[in-house]
Amino acid sequence: MGSCAAHAAASRGARVLLLERFDLLHHRGSSHGESRTIRDAYPQPHYPPMVRLARRLWADSQRDAGYDVLTPAPHLDLGPRDDPALVATIANGGATELPAAGGARPAWAEAFRVPEGWTAASGELGGVIKATKAVAMFQALAAKMGAVVRDKVEVVDVARKQGEGIVVRTSSGEEFHGTKCIVTVGAWTSKLVKSVTGADLPVQPLHTLICYWKIKPGHEHELTTEAGFPTFASYGDTWIYSTPSMEYPGLIKISMHGGPPCDPDSRDWAIGPGEGGLVDPVARWIEKVMPGHVDTAGGPVLRLPCMYSMTPDEDFVIDFLGGEEFGRDVVVGAGFSGHGFKMAPAVGRILAEMALDGEARTAVEAGVELQHFSIGRFEGNPMGNATSF
């Protein structure tokens, strides 16, 4: 998000400094790796407009960079027919329910054994984003437009200094001065905001696991993007998501949304005793829904740790830090809850406009309703926008 915000601000002609706590393109946060999904299908109606805006900005940035980071694909949603979130997702995403076996269905549908009482609906607005490559693209574009990019700089304080505007202080004792500041520190958000303002912003880091499973012999090509295989999401008691076989030939990423709380400064890189809770439900799902195409014997071939920055309602935080000290000069983007990467260019544009203009005109024009992402939604209501689904 920070790289996208830096690119958006630099494209406006602003003097921009992008500070990265670790090495550039590190694997210690939530924006690294080989793949992220992009999908318009959401149960909450306030996300599809932001995804549509993001798609346009992905396309613009790829054109400017001269290479692609997003591979289009169909998208499939499936789950119990009466699941409220799935029903809302299908309605909001404009997906079409697949006919039963024997009907006119895409070839890739044969990979799924849809259980009794379930439904499946597909649309054309899916895709796979190369995450690390995308971050590098936005950093390069920002630098090309004049932004200064520095890594290995840990921000420990943000303050207003009389006559000097906003001052950002680092763990090495450096100070950087500016008129505006955008805070996008991911899993470290609650710690930094608490230190700066004393306020408790409910952004909980979670440990999660990305699992790659072996495709059964003879089906390897069928589950690839080249064969038109979709990204997919499965609803129900366990939310499962997947991208087509792409980055590791012969393997497919199928993982579970969520995970246990963690401290980003003392993570268990060995994954720890909670691993089964992130693997076993996925294996059971595969055995139930894709038994003919994906092998669960021996578990996933690759298990890659990652983090979410989760809010209680899984909605983002996009707001001014506010208060008497900061007013509209410091903007926070956080709590992207395991589903924000696809919208990063839109979020970056919105954050940059909020910082530079005090409002986000692009969001208004695109029909993105920012009130859902306010910090104030948690005042007297710790669950924020949480609904029954």
Side-chain angles (χ1 to χ4, degrees):
M1 301 299 176
S3 298
C4 289
H7 167 252
S11 70
R12 291 272 304 274
R15 295 179 61 195
V16 176
L17 172 64
L18 174 62
L19 300 178
E20 167 56 64
R21 177 174 179 169
F22 303 110
D23 283 307
L24 295 180
L25 309 182
H26 64 88
H27 284 210
R28 298 178 65 174
S30 305
S31 299
H32 62 280
E34 290 296 320
S35 60
R36 296 291 191 279
T37 61
I38 183 168
R39 55 185 171 85
D40 288 34
Y42 265 90
Q44 304 94 335
H46 49 275
Y47 284 110
M50 187 180 285
V51 179
R52 290 191 287 271
L53 171 61
R55 281 185 181 276
R56 175 168 63 82
L57 298 176
W58 280 114
D60 291 347
S61 299
Q62 290 179 138
R63 182 201 61 227
D64 293 343
Y67 56 85
D68 291 341
V69 297
L70 192 161
T71 301
H75 179 74
L76 176 72
D77 290 297
L78 69 163
R81 185 176 293 277
D82 60 354
D83 184 274
L86 178 57
V87 171
T89 296
I90 292 173
N92 291 336
T96 302
E97 289 196 65
L98 295 177
R105 311 194 316 160
W108 52 256
E110 301 309 313
F112 298 92
R113 188 173 70 186
V114 180
E116 185 72 25
W118 282 33
T119 190
S122 67
E124 294 304 312
L125 298 177
V128 184
I129 303 165
K130 303 285 282 185
T132 298
K133 185 179 179 182
V135 174
M137 178 183 74
F138 279 107
Q139 290 176 355
L141 289 172
K144 185 178 180 180
M145 294 174 180
V148 175
V149 181
R150 287 193 53 184
D151 64 355
K152 300 180 182 179
V153 180
E154 179 187 0
V155 173
V156 296
D157 189 35
V158 180
R160 182 183 295 280
K161 198 169 184 178
Q162 188 66 32
E164 298 185 36
I166 302 299
V167 180
V168 172
R169 298 186 178 92
T170 74
S171 58
S172 66
E174 288 184 284
E175 288 191 357
F176 300 99
H177 299 248
T179 57
K180 305 287 183 175
C181 178
I182 300 172
V183 178
T184 54
V185 294
W188 289 266
T189 299
S190 60
K191 289 186 176 187
L192 183 60
V193 170
K194 179 72 171 179
S195 173
V196 169
T197 69
D200 291 309
L201 188 61
V203 177
Q204 173 63 58
L206 301 184
H207 168 84
T208 193
L209 198 64
I210 311 303
C211 297
Y212 288 86
W213 305 79
K214 183 174 177 58
I215 300 171
K216 290 187 174 180
H219 297 290
E220 292 88 350
H221 179 70
E222 298 171 27
L223 305 192
T224 64
T225 51
E226 291 83 358
F229 197 72
T231 58
F232 67 79
S234 179
Y235 291 74
D237 293 337
T238 302
W239 202 87
I240 302 290
Y241 67 94
S242 173
T243 57
S245 179
M246 187 174 175
E247 54 265 44
Y248 301 110
L251 303 182
I252 183 170
K253 181 170 84 172
I254 307 178
S255 303
M256 172 183 165
H257 179 69
C262 70
D263 184 333
D265 292 312
S266 57
R267 293 170 65 189
D268 182 359
W269 292 96
I271 296 168
E275 178 182 359
L278 296 171
V279 172
D280 294 344
V282 182
R284 290 193 295 269
W285 184 93
I286 293 170
E287 290 161 2
K288 180 178 181 180
V289 182
M290 300 185 73
H293 287 70
V294 182
D295 191 353
T296 60
V301 177
L302 292 177
R303 309 171 189 220
L304 306 177
C306 193
M307 277 195 299
Y308 287 172
S309 299
M310 192 72 76
T311 61
D313 52 17
E314 300 192 25
D315 277 336
F316 308 159
V317 172
I318 302 174
D319 204 353
F320 299 102
L321 195 54
E324 193 171 313
E325 181 175 7
F326 297 114
R328 290 179 171 255
D329 292 334
V330 178
V331 185
V332 177
F336 296 102
S337 301
H339 66 105
F341 194 96
K342 67 179 74 65
M343 290 171 264
V347 172
R349 172 72 67 87
I350 290 167
L351 291 170
E353 289 185 354
M354 290 173 68
L356 295 173
D357 306 325
E359 60 181 355
R361 288 189 293 271
T362 296
V364 175
E365 293 166 0
V368 177
E369 299 173 345
L370 293 181
Q371 71 267 23
H372 300 285
F373 310 123
S374 71
I375 294 173
R377 72 183 190 266
F378 298 113
E379 294 177 5
N381 178 23
M383 294 306 294
N385 301 325
T387 64
S388 57
F389 55 78

